[in-house]
Amino acid sequence: MNTVLAGIVIVFFGVQGIARLSAAPEHQRAAAYHFGVSLSEYRKVSGLLILGGLGLAAGLAVPPLGVAAAVVLVILMMIVAGLRVLSQDGALRVALPLAAAALTAGALVW
């Protein structure tokens, strides 16, 4: 696993998850409504982003754990991209989770 690229991905997912969980409740409700999911599901996915980042960090010491975390994060980002398409978000908003998935996969392969 490429340590520099993994570090970037770890920070990205950690910041995203923390920002989503620490957002005001009305912002969380609005985001959940936008994606067509419940508030509980939105918060669970936000927690998964943090756990995925932590899993990648642990994967620097225990590689199989990092591989598992990366696979889950790539799948999660593909689901997010699909939700953005269904929500009729713009191309840039669809491209961000796809780029995150590509960087996460790249951290594994490189």
Side-chain angles (χ1 to χ4, degrees):
M1 183 181 291
N2 182 315
T3 308
V4 174
L5 188 53
I8 292 169
V9 174
I10 290 165
V11 170
F12 173 80
F13 284 115
V15 168
Q16 286 292 312
I18 290 169
R20 290 172 189 217
L21 284 178
S22 64
E26 58 271 9
H27 292 149
Q28 291 180 358
R29 275 190 215 84
Y33 178 78
H34 176 74
F35 289 119
V37 298
S38 71
L39 180 59
S40 174
E41 290 169 334
Y42 179 80
R43 288 178 176 161
K44 287 175 186 173
V45 169
S46 300
L48 285 176
L49 294 174
I50 296 169
L51 290 175
L54 291 173
L56 286 174
L60 296 173
V62 183
L65 187 58
V67 170
V71 168
V72 169
L73 285 171
V74 168
I75 292 169
L76 183 62
M77 289 297 100
M78 301 308 273
I79 292 169
V80 170
L83 285 174
R84 289 204 174 272
V85 169
L86 292 174
S87 299
Q88 298 179 342
D89 286 346
L92 184 60
R93 291 197 176 260
V94 174
L96 183 61
L98 295 176
L103 285 175
T104 303
L108 273 179
V109 177
W110 194 356

